[in-house]
Each structure stands twice: as structure tokens, then as C-alpha cells.
Amino acid sequence: MAIGVIRETERRPLPFDKLGVIIAALALYGAFLAPFATFRANRIVQGEGKAILEALPPSLGYGLLAVVMFGAIVAVLRTSVLVRMAAAFVALVALCFLVGRAAGSLAPADNAYARVSPASGFWVLVLAFALLVADALTRLNPGPGLRLLFLAGALALIGAMLATGQWDGLSILKEYASRAETFWAEAGRHLTLALGSLAVATAFGLPLGILCHRVDRLRAAVLNVLNAIQTIPSIALFGILIAPLGWVATHVPGAQAIGVRGIGVAPAFVALFLYSLLPVVANTVVGLAGVPRAANDAARGLGMTEGQRLVRVEFPLAFPVILAGIRIVLVQNIGLATIAALIGGGGFGVFVFQGIGQTAMDLVLLGAVPTVLLAFMAAIVLDALIEVTGPKHSRGKAA
Amino acid sequence: MIEFDRVTKRYDETEVVSDVSLTVMPHTITVIVGTSGSGKTTLIRMVNRLVEPTSGMIRIDGEDNRLVPEFELRRRIGYAIQGHGLFPHRTVAENIATVPTLLGWERARIRAKVEELLTLFQLDPEFFGPRYPHELSGGQQQRVGVARALAAEPNLLLMDEPFGALDPIIRAKAQDDLLAIQKHFGTTIILVTHDMEEAFHLADRIAVMDKGEVVQHGAPAEMLVRPATPFVEELIGATERPFRLLAIETAGDAVEPGAAEGTPIPEGLSQREALSELLWSGRSALPVAAANGSILGKISLDGLVKRAARPR
Amino acid sequence: MPSLPTLLRLAVFLVLLAFLLQPGLFEPLFEPLVQENAPAVYNRGSLFWLTLLHLRTVLVATLAATVVAVSLAILVTREVGAEFLPLSRSLVNIGQTFPPVAVLALSVPIFGFGEKPTLIALFLYGLLPIFENALTGLTTLPLAVIEAARGAGMTERQRLLQIELPLALPVILTGIRLSVVISLATATIGSTVAAKTLGEVIIAGLQSNNLAFVLQGGLIVAALAVLIHDMLQALERTLAGRTHA
């Protein structure tokens, strides 16, 4: 009898959520044991950590602790997905809002040298609740449209925070304030590099991929060469291209007029283009090879010409796979464009490498954070696109 | 002896097995038949506790099967499944040696056992032992699967559609092999299938399952004569009844004294196959021969017709 | 008789080894690339030694990443960790959108300059492909095989060690291969935060406008990547060839 009773209780799921326990532990560590913000008298000196209650006025400090505790409890208990989502969202908004307030209360606005930046406790809390959001989103399994909506909402929130000056006291924005113009110039250069090289790579890669699909002997050779290019480390490839482009600039009439130079944007652009070719070409080949033979036979049987078959049958069917290749390229390019700074190509890498050189971490963040955000956005948007264009299959119901 | 005692298995709201009580006698072959989704696979998976019953008890030789840890229980029970489930990264010999190795047998004893089983299944140990499963044909893989299940000399062998993936000719051969091996080891076998032909060919007792319940359990002949429900009748197929009846017993059981002309029929052949031989040869009787070749008597068309009639 | 590609790889390996041990021999080859009076072969340290350090960094990071990634994958595919499976899949997807440079740059404030941030960045970045592949390997095992292993009375541990891991091994190795190739290239960026890798050669070339240095650093890394990639791929094929028809 007794054994039977134990068995019954064993079957019942635990009353608390395992992931929630980890999230709550992280949240408690972040809230009580780790510093919330770092205060530095000036840009380069060692900072001192401040706990939540030291960094914020009491009412806000206790308020934040209450929100964090509430979020932790919601995470631990087996609550509904929407409740978890809402609790995590509230906690994240409170954290983002209050980290700006911490800057205001730790360093008076008239002190131009003092720096306040988010410290490990803040990042751990953000991580904890971001995990909760990610878990809730995974369980909700939203469609592509809804995902884009979430992204737009998050961006709008960040935009509002920035526009209303909530974060102006934070050191990363002080770095921004002192070089706002360069920031946008480098941002433009970064996007030009990442998107421009992608556009050119697509324009070259698609026809090359189609050609490789049709001509067996070409396929292996082209893919091998492109694979080999991928193994050359990015800084080396950027550097290697300096010489040939320098030669072109001085010897080909008109080359300089269109911006070809030995150092700067040109070698970075060409290097990114070369890296981008493999995913585009390879995915075009895979996509076309995956077109069902029956669909091709039917198209031939209906009397389509080669060109019609390519445009109306093969290409639409291969499109999601090609798009997946473009996603890989875009995310990869946004990251790699950072390296361009090393050869004078500009982009967000300028701040990253300057910051590393000056051991000014706020400056590193000014370069790294937008890069990560861009890559992340690109991934979400293109994943949604791939899903919309992909084969329609029934989605699992949310658990 | 295996006793199912009011066994029920429920997943959430759906009852897959409902209150099944069934006794399987030792050294017999019990075949559980039913359509897919009837709960027959779940029922045998509860014997070696791959599935735990929601309520009820299964006793093996009088002992509750939950008294020993599940992995020990499973090592004592042979288990063969459709598509054989051979470990692709292990050789045939290593596959067969799985349970003996788990039980910690000595190496020499394991090697001897593997050789014995391979020989028994007409696979040359020298040639097949070191091969990997993907180098074998479907029929050979299936034989290795059964050999693996028998390696630790279990008293009980559970088989879940073991011949389901084989083509008809190889399947018939595998079934005959199984009968021979059951005789050789005296193993108690519970076999699940949806193939009535297979059930009548192999079974000492048949249990018919429908929607989680055992609707009839008995000797094959009894099932033909007195189907318990319209479902059983439909499963057997009304037009097949006389032939199924003949398929149960062997030619040896129908021997009449006297002599006949023609090629002798082996006594192990089913009466149904003997009838087929008679019809095809155009004769009214054929001699029946024992395994050693001696003539036991004859088998006649008239005799078989009588046997195929509905028993009273 | 070894095939042509094998011979080609052997040749690449021998040339690489000769270059690392006797770089002076190759001087005439690089001379046209540099301005007068500039050194044609890297002269600020031993290329051989830097290569070893480069390989050591990648090896340590990859080993750690493999241990952690495979353990995590095992954990989330057991009953205890099943709750984490869906989340860990999405985290891997998100994680792979992080640029390696950003991971490196962000680990500097936490771990300082030198070897450490490079190791951490390579480790974190290397986790993802290995974890992803280990998950794929462990969740796509043939059902009948697992069923047979349970039916044979293997304990959960025996099943994992004797059946599941060996069968998932080729797929896990693919993940390790991807991770190693990414790490070999990313490690060069580590030299911007003062890690001792072949990136030093490239950066020295960029700073002194010496194309030969850039080329030397880049080609050594590329040759290493190609050789190691092919070696691991051959290993995978041997392992997979045994288990698949």
C-alpha cells in the first residue's frame, strides 16, 4: 500500500519550475550580492560597486527589490506563460529605467568627469529576466508576425528611453555624447559595409549558384575555393587585400574616383564580399538541388522553357533556402564589419578597438552594443521572413 | 507462468489498456492480436516494465514484477521488436552478447553462447560474428535480433511484431524457425501481431484485443468455432475459417493408415499446406513421411475435408 | 596508393612545417611584397612558437567547450533536464548571432587583457555549434535501437555510455569541427587584446604596412584550419561509415 502512495506522488509534477529556480537564484544574487552600478570619479580610474540601495533613493531602491522579488516568485512557481512574460517584462522595464536613475543619483548632473555604468548585478538581473522572457516566448511559440511585433515593441521602448534622456547619465551615453557625429558616421559606414557587400554578393552569388547547379564540374571547384576563403582569418584577408587594391587605385584610371584605395573601406568591402559568397552560392545550390524532381518534370511536361522553369518553379521553391544563406551572411557581416576598423575601414569597430587601446570599457561598449543589437535584429527579421516564405507546416500548439 | 491481474493503463484521459486479466501458461506461445491502437503493444511492454501500469499487477511465476529493479527484470526477459533495433555500432557477436555482458558472464561462456545461437539460426559464426548489422540482409538482421533476445536464456520471450518488416517468403521461414527454437528451449513466448495468418500458425493460445480490452482468449480452434464478438469474427474472416482450422494442426496429426502414391508430405507441414499439395497434385491421397524419411501413412482429401468442417 | 587530395594535404603540411621551422628559406618568395629594407619574413618572434601558442589556445578552449557543451546536451536530453530543452535550443540560436568580436570585446572588461578574454570568448563561442550538434545527435537516435537497449535491461547510464553517446559521436564531432575552424580564425583577433596568437604576425604587418607579415600570419592559420578540418572530417567518416549502410 505504502509503495503505491509514494508512486502516486512521484508521478505528480513538482510544484515549482526548475528553470524558474535558476532564474530566481540569479535574480537574488544580482539583487543582493552583486553591485548594481559602478561609480568612477573619472573615465579611466578603477570604479567602486554600489548595491541597489546605495545607488538609488530608498523608495526606488525598495521598489526595485520588490519588483525583482515578485518576478523571482513568479518564475519559481508554475505560473501561466503570460503571467511569466508580464512579470519579466515589468522587471526589465524597471531595471532599464532605474539604472538611468542610479546614474543621476550617484553622479550629480554638473559633474562632467564622474562616470556611472551598470555593474555585474544589473547585467545578471537583466540576464535572469531575459531568460524568463526567452523561455516564455519559446513556450508561446509565436508566429513570425508576432515576433516582429515584439521586436518593434522592444526597439520602441529602447528608443523612448534614449529619446527621453533616461540613460543620459550612463557612461556609455556620455561617450556617445562626446562623439555623436562620429558615431552616426561610423554607423553608416558599418551598415554600408555589411549591407552593401551582401547586396553585391547576392548579385554575383545567385547567378554563380545557378550556374554551379547546372554545371557539375564547376560546382565542386567553386565551392572548394569559396570554402578555402572562409578559412582565412578575417584580419588577414582584410590585410591581404590592401596591396592589390592599392595597385588598382594607382594604376587603373578612375578607380580612385569611385573610392578604391589600398586602405579603408575598399579592402574591407571586398573581404566581406568574398566571405559572403560561400553561404549565398552554397545555399542556392542546395536550394535548387532540393527542388523535387516531380515538380521539374511536371514543368517540362507543361512545356515551360528553361527560363520559365527557373523563374516560376525552381527559384520560388528554392527561395527559403537561399534566404537562409542570406541570413547567415547578414549576421556574419554585421559582426565581421567590426574588423574593418583595423585597416581604417571604419564602422563600430572603431570604438571597440579605440576603447581596447585606451582601456576605456565604456567606449568598447559603445561599439559592441550596437553591433550585437544589429546582428540580433537582422536574425529575428530574416528568420521571420524565412518562415513566411518557407513551406507551410502546421505549428505546434503552445504548451 | 505470467498472470495479468486487472491491468489498466491510462494516459491522461485515454485508457489504452482496460482491466485486462490473462494467464499465460509456461512453455507455450500466446499470440496477442488486434488492430493498431488496440493496446496490444502496451500490454506486453508492461510485462518488462517499459510501461508501468496505472493499476493492477503482473506476476511472473507468482512474483510481482515490480519486486526487482526494472533493469534486472528486463535482463531476465527476452525482448524482440519490429525492425530488430540492432545496435548499429556493434558487431553481430557484440549485439548478441549484450545481455550476457550486462549480466557479467565470463567471456568464454559468452563466446560459446553467441556461437551456439548463430549456428542455431543458420548463420555461420565465423562469417557473421564480426560483421556490422548494416552488412546483413533484412532476414539476417531479424534473426540476429531474436538471437540477441534469447542470449541470456530467458524463460520468457516478448516479441512485438517481430516479423513485421520481412517480406512474405522470409517471414514464413522466420516463423518456422521460431517454432523450432521454442521447441528447442521451451521458452514461454508472448507475441504481438496484427496478422491473423501468423497468429494461427504460431499460437497455442490467441488473445484478441479491441479498444484496450481482451475480448477473447482461448485456443485457436475455439476462436474459430465460437467467436466471442462480431469483431473477432470479422478479424478471422468468415471465408477463411476452414483454412485457418486446417492451419492449426500438422499433417502428422491427420495421418490415416494405408498407402498412397506420390511425393511424400513432411509430417511437420500444416494440414492447410497438405491440402494445397493434394489439390495441386490432383490426387485424393498422398503419403506422409517422418523427419527421418520413414512413411507414417497417408493423408487424404476426404479426411481433410472432414477436419475442415465446423466442429460440433 | 594514397589519393591525390591526400598527397596534396601532405604537401601542404610539409610546406607549413618547413616554413615554421626554417622561415628564412622562404625569404625570396616574400621579398617582392615588401618595401626595400623591410624584413620579408616575420622577425619579431618564432613563428613556430606562436603557432604552438595559437593551437594551444584553440585546443584548451575547444576541449573545455566540448566537455561543457556535451554535458549540457546530455543533461537537457535526460528526464531531469527535459524542461530546459526548448529554451536551450532558442538560446543557442540567439547566441550564434553574437559576433565573435563582440564576445571578445565584452569579455575584456570582465577578465582583463591577455590570454584570458581570448580563451573565454573562444570557449563561449565554441560552445554553441558543439551543443547544437550534440543535441541533434542525442535527440535523433533511431527509436528502435533505444527501445532495444531499454528492453535488454540497460540502466540509464549504460544506455547513455554504450549506446547513445557512441551513436551520436559522429554528429558531435561535426560540431567540434565547426567550432575548431571558427576558433582558429577568431583566435587571431585575440591578439588585439594582447593574446599570444598568430594574430600578432598579422597585426604587426598591418601596423608596419608589411604585406608579407599579413600574408604569413593569414596563410598559416588558413593552412592549419584546412588541415585540421580535413583530419576531423576523415575521423567522422570513419566513425559514421561503420554505423550507416
Side-chain angles (χ1 to χ4, degrees):
Chain A
M1 252 343 248
I3 293 173
V5 172
I6 293 170
R7 277 178 179 285
E8 278 308 300
T9 50
E10 269 177 358
R11 291 284 155 70
R12 205 173 299 146
L14 300 169
F16 52 82
D17 188 281
K18 280 179 197 157
L19 175 70
V21 173
I22 293 178
I23 288 175
L26 280 173
L28 293 182
Y29 170 80
F32 293 105
L33 297 172
F36 183 67
T38 309
F39 176 81
R40 280 170 301 169
N42 64 49
R43 189 170 172 231
I44 321 184
V45 296
Q46 195 75 8
E48 62 182 302
K50 302 280 188 188
I52 288 181
L53 289 177
E54 295 170 313
L56 288 169
S59 60
L60 292 179
Y62 284 112
L64 179 58
L65 288 180
V67 169
V68 168
M69 293 297 289
F70 177 72
I73 290 168
V74 168
V76 168
L77 299 177
R78 283 187 180 275
T79 40
S80 88
V81 182
L82 287 176
V83 172
R84 299 169 84 77
M85 186 94 166
F89 182 72
V90 168
L92 283 175
V93 171
L95 280 167
C96 291
F97 179 68
L98 290 174
V99 80
R101 293 301 294 267
S105 70
L106 281 174
D110 52 353
N111 183 344
Y113 299 107
R115 292 299 171 109
V116 178
S117 45
S120 59
F122 170 82
W123 294 117
V124 169
L125 282 169
V126 168
L127 171 72
F129 291 108
L131 275 178
L132 194 54
V133 170
D135 183 47
L137 275 179
T138 308
R139 292 193 209 181
L140 271 178
N141 194 12
L146 207 54
R147 288 207 302 269
L148 289 180
L149 211 63
F150 278 130
L151 177 67
L155 290 178
L157 196 70
I158 294 174
M161 287 281 190
L162 287 170
T164 55
Q166 293 299 333
W167 286 336
D168 281 357
L170 291 177
S171 53
I172 175 172
L173 281 174
K174 288 198 169 165
E175 295 289 348
Y176 166 74
S178 63
R179 61 193 90 219
E181 249 172 68
T182 6
F183 180 84
W184 291 110
E186 299 303 355
R189 227 164 280 164
H190 200 101
L191 283 177
T192 313
L193 279 174
L195 294 176
S197 59
L198 167 67
V200 179
T202 312
F204 270 87
L206 274 181
L208 189 58
I210 294 169
L211 203 63
C212 285
H213 173 65
R214 299 276 159 96
V215 188
D216 283 351
R217 299 174 85 189
L218 196 63
R219 181 165 51 221
V222 168
L223 288 180
N224 276 337
V225 170
L226 294 180
N227 257 319
I229 291 176
Q230 295 271 326
T231 64
I232 304 173
S234 45
I235 30 176
L237 185 57
F238 284 36
I240 291 167
L241 288 168
I242 291 176
L245 287 170
W247 187 87
V248 170
T250 45
H251 291 85
V252 177
Q256 277 201 355
I258 58 164
V260 174
R261 281 187 189 72
I263 58 162
V265 178
F269 195 93
V270 175
L272 288 180
F273 162 75
L274 289 175
Y275 282 129
S276 309
L277 275 179
L278 177 71
V280 174
V281 174
N283 278 43
T284 307
V285 170
V286 171
L288 290 175
V291 173
R293 178 190 285 268
N296 267 324
D297 282 351
R300 277 203 199 91
L302 290 170
M304 286 192 191
T305 63
E306 283 283 295
Q308 286 169 331
R309 193 160 58 84
L310 179 68
V311 175
R312 298 194 189 166
V313 179
E314 289 188 295
F315 195 73
L317 284 171
F319 188 65
V321 185
I322 298 173
L323 207 54
I326 290 177
R327 177 219 193 259
I328 296 172
V329 171
L330 186 55
V331 171
Q332 176 185 295
N333 274 5
I334 290 173
L336 282 177
T338 328
I339 310 284
L342 285 177
I343 54 161
F348 287 127
V350 169
F351 306 121
V352 173
F353 291 112
Q354 264 180 24
I356 288 175
Q358 303 172 9
T359 58
M361 283 314 136
D362 301 324
L363 195 51
V364 172
L365 285 177
L366 185 64
V369 171
T371 313
V372 171
L373 275 181
L374 270 180
F376 196 44
M377 274 165 49
I380 293 179
V381 172
L382 278 168
D383 278 341
L385 270 182
I386 291 167
E387 207 174 311
V388 171
T389 56
K392 310 286 177 282
H393 47 81
S394 63
R395 305 165 50 72
K397 277 225 168 117
Chain B
M1 189 163 75
I2 293 89
E3 297 160 273
F4 296 84
D5 187 354
R6 309 206 60 183
V7 173
T8 295
K9 177 65 192 179
R10 219 175 286 123
Y11 289 107
D12 296 325
E13 293 308 300
T14 33
E15 206 160 83
V16 187
V17 172
S18 315
D19 198 23
V20 167
S21 294
L22 195 70
T23 303
V24 173
M25 299 310 286
H27 316 302
T28 62
I29 300 183
T30 296
V31 176
I32 303 175
V33 286
T35 49
S36 61
S38 60
K40 53 191 193 302
T41 293
T42 310
L43 188 69
I44 67 158
R45 282 161 59 91
M46 287 193 280
V47 176
N48 63 357
R49 289 174 61 197
L50 287 169
V51 173
E52 297 280 357
T54 310
S55 67
M57 185 190 279
I58 297 169
R59 284 185 295 272
I60 299 174
D61 296 330
E63 195 186 79
D64 184 346
N65 73 346
R66 285 170 299 191
L67 288 180
V68 286
E70 46 186 31
F71 60 91
E72 276 179 34
L73 177 80
R74 290 180 196 149
R75 288 171 194 178
R76 299 203 305 230
I77 300 174
Y79 186 53
I81 53 180
Q82 174 167 19
H84 61 73
L86 293 179
F87 304 138
H89 61 305
R90 293 189 171 180
T91 63
V92 165
E94 286 166 346
N95 262 291
I96 296 177
T98 304
V99 183
T101 311
L102 290 172
L103 291 170
W105 285 17
E106 277 171 37
R107 208 173 300 162
R109 184 176 167 205
I110 295 178
R111 198 178 322 125
K113 189 74 205 176
V114 170
E115 269 181 34
E116 177 199 335
L117 280 167
L118 279 174
T119 313
L120 198 63
F121 279 92
Q122 298 135 43
L123 297 168
D124 176 16
E126 292 286 313
F127 182 81
F128 286 101
R131 306 272 141 176
Y132 283 95
H134 73 261
E135 300 171 278
L136 274 56
S137 72
Q140 290 164 343
Q141 288 172 340
Q142 190 276 337
R143 275 182 272 170
V144 175
V146 178
R148 179 175 67 179
L150 289 169
E153 299 166 4
N155 291 324
L156 171 61
L157 174 59
L158 306 174
M159 306 182 92
D160 188 358
E161 305 254 6
F163 311 124
L166 302 181
D167 65 61
I169 294 171
I170 300 174
R171 187 185 311 163
K173 164 94 169 75
Q175 289 165 348
D176 290 338
D177 284 351
L178 183 69
L179 285 172
I181 275 157
Q182 197 264 344
K183 255 197 202 103
H184 181 94
F185 290 114
T187 318
T188 310
I189 296 178
I190 306 180
L191 184 145
V192 161
T193 183
H194 61 264
D195 176 358
M196 279 316 271
E197 198 76 38
E198 185 165 283
F200 277 92
H201 183 39
L202 297 175
D204 293 311
R205 310 269 290 175
I206 293 179
V208 179
M209 282 191 80
D210 183 28
K211 300 190 187 80
E213 285 175 55
V214 171
V215 289
Q216 188 165 15
H217 176 217
E222 192 186 318
M223 203 143 294
L224 285 172
V225 182
R226 279 179 293 278
T229 65
F231 174 76
V232 178
E233 204 168 346
E234 196 189 328
L235 205 60
I236 293 168
T239 55
E240 292 285 326
R241 277 182 297 196
F243 305 108
R244 297 232 191 273
L245 198 57
L246 288 180
I248 297 166
E249 290 187 330
T250 62
D253 298 324
V255 172
E256 302 162 26
E261 293 287 303
T263 327
I265 288 174
E267 64 166 337
L269 219 59
S270 78
Q271 290 171 11
R272 179 180 178 158
E273 288 163 309
L275 174 66
S276 170
E277 285 294 321
L278 283 167
L279 291 172
W280 192 245
S281 62
R283 297 174 192 269
S284 59
L286 280 171
V288 174
N292 59 15
S294 63
I295 299 298
L296 301 166
K298 64 168 185 174
I299 189 163
S300 71
L301 215 46
D302 284 349
L304 288 180
V305 168
K306 281 200 193 90
R307 284 170 175 273
R310 176 181 196 153
R312 266 140 286 144
Chain C
M1 178 67 196
S3 63
L4 185 68
T6 316
L7 287 175
L8 213 61
R9 272 166 210 138
L10 197 67
V12 171
F13 177 70
L14 290 176
V15 171
L16 177 67
L17 205 62
F19 181 65
L20 291 179
L21 293 173
Q22 291 296 330
L25 293 178
F26 293 77
E27 210 156 329
L29 222 55
F30 289 104
E31 239 151 30
L33 294 173
V34 292
Q35 284 130 346
E36 270 171 65
N37 301 328
V41 167
Y42 188 67
N43 57 354
R44 305 185 191 177
S46 153
L47 281 174
F48 185 67
W49 186 237
L50 276 179
T51 305
L52 285 186
L53 287 175
H54 191 103
L55 286 176
R56 187 193 64 175
T57 305
V58 171
L59 183 73
V60 170
T62 307
L63 278 183
T66 304
V67 170
V68 174
V70 173
S71 312
L72 283 178
I74 290 172
L75 188 75
V76 298
T77 49
R78 301 304 102 182
E79 213 176 314
V80 210
E83 274 181 59
F84 298 102
L85 183 58
L87 177 67
S88 48
R89 278 187 207 276
S90 5
L91 285 185
V92 168
N93 279 336
I94 297 170
Q96 279 173 335
T97 63
F98 267 70
V101 197
V103 178
L104 185 70
L106 293 176
S107 50
V108 171
I110 311 173
F111 305 102
F113 282 85
E115 219 77 83
K116 243 199 229 160
T118 312
L119 274 175
I120 301 284
L122 293 187
F123 163 74
L124 286 176
Y125 212 73
L127 274 180
L128 302 171
I130 305 178
F131 180 73
E132 192 174 30
N133 278 49
L135 265 192
T136 309
L138 288 172
T139 52
T140 54
L141 296 167
L143 225 59
V145 171
I146 299 305
E147 174 81 0
R150 289 182 68 198
M154 289 191 179
T155 61
E156 187 144 339
R157 200 189 156 77
Q158 287 167 334
R159 222 156 62 219
L160 175 68
L161 294 177
Q162 298 181 23
I163 308 295
E164 298 181 25
L165 279 181
L167 286 181
L169 193 61
V171 188
I172 297 177
L173 265 177
T174 308
I176 295 176
R177 172 162 58 87
L178 291 174
S179 172
V180 166
V181 171
I182 295 174
S183 290
L184 278 169
T186 309
T188 54
I189 306 173
S191 288
T192 59
V193 296
K196 283 256 166 211
T197 72
L198 287 165
E200 263 191 28
V201 183
I202 300 167
I203 289 173
L206 288 176
Q207 281 166 349
S208 62
N209 206 2
N210 185 327
L211 184 64
F213 287 8
V214 177
L215 209 56
Q216 283 154 24
L219 288 182
I220 295 174
V221 176
L224 288 175
V226 170
L227 288 173
I228 293 175
H229 174 277
D230 289 355
M231 217 167 64
L232 287 171
Q233 198 166 46
L235 187 65
E236 275 158 50
R237 291 216 178 108
T238 326
L239 283 172
R242 230 175 43 185
T243 57
H244 297 288

